[in-house]
Amino acid sequence: MTQAVLDGKAVSWRPCLRGPVLLADRGAADAAVARRAASDVAARIGVPVQLVTAWEVPAMVRVTPATGDLDVPGLYEGSARAAQTQVRQQLLRLGSAVGAGYVAEGSATVVVARTADMIGASLVVIGSRAGSGLGERPRPKLLAARQW
């Protein structure tokens, strides 16, 4: 794709894509296509893939009394970190340049939007969320998440 201003010189769009490709992925098998797409685009424009994984303790678990020293938030965070490690290994097997990874507690849409802004992502690729993705209309959700 090439754009040119009237009386101007045509310029390719690629030089504008300098930030990393951000891949939001929890390691689900059905997100393999998203991983491949993120890897391919990043390689094409010469930037690394960076990972973001959001985790959240369900409200029901937060209000259920627990006995002993069970660290419920720690379990959820540990699971998210393990999933991201697996995704990182899969990307490396694809030959991707993999940059920093981010694991954060919170709503997936908010965590992804904030991380994308923080790192200046050129593109955000959403894996899946146990087969449900971000719902039927992810774009409005991500845009709404940016209004914090």
Side-chain angles (χ1 to χ4, degrees):
M1 176 178 177
T2 304
Q3 294 180 337
V5 181
L6 293 178
D7 298 336
K9 181 179 174 186
V11 213
S12 172
W13 58 270
R14 260 189 265 182
C16 299
L17 301 176
R18 293 188 182 102
V21 171
L22 180 64
L23 173 62
D25 191 344
R26 281 276 308 176
D30 57 349
V33 172
R35 282 180 217 117
R36 165 80 58 196
S39 177
D40 290 349
V41 170
R44 177 93 173 150
I45 62 176
V47 298
V49 176
Q50 292 190 347
L51 303 170
V52 62
T53 306
W55 63 274
E56 211 169 10
V57 177
M60 186 61 161
V61 175
R62 288 192 187 276
V63 297
T64 304
T67 58
D69 295 328
L70 184 62
D71 177 18
V72 175
L75 292 173
Y76 279 85
E77 182 179 3
S79 172
R81 290 188 183 283
Q84 189 175 98
T85 298
Q86 289 178 351
V87 171
R88 177 179 297 278
Q89 291 169 349
Q90 291 170 5
L91 288 169
L92 290 171
R93 282 194 295 272
L94 289 173
S96 296
V98 184
Y102 304 91
V103 176
E105 180 180 13
S107 161
T109 52
V110 172
V111 168
V112 170
R114 285 185 177 169
T115 305
D117 281 344
M118 179 180 74
I119 67 170
S122 291
L123 175 69
V124 176
V125 178
I126 308 288
S128 74
R129 190 167 179 202
S132 66
L134 290 175
E136 294 176 13
R137 299 174 53 186
R139 182 173 162 79
K141 286 184 180 182
L142 282 174
L143 292 176
R146 297 183 79 161
Q147 299 172 8
W148 49 84

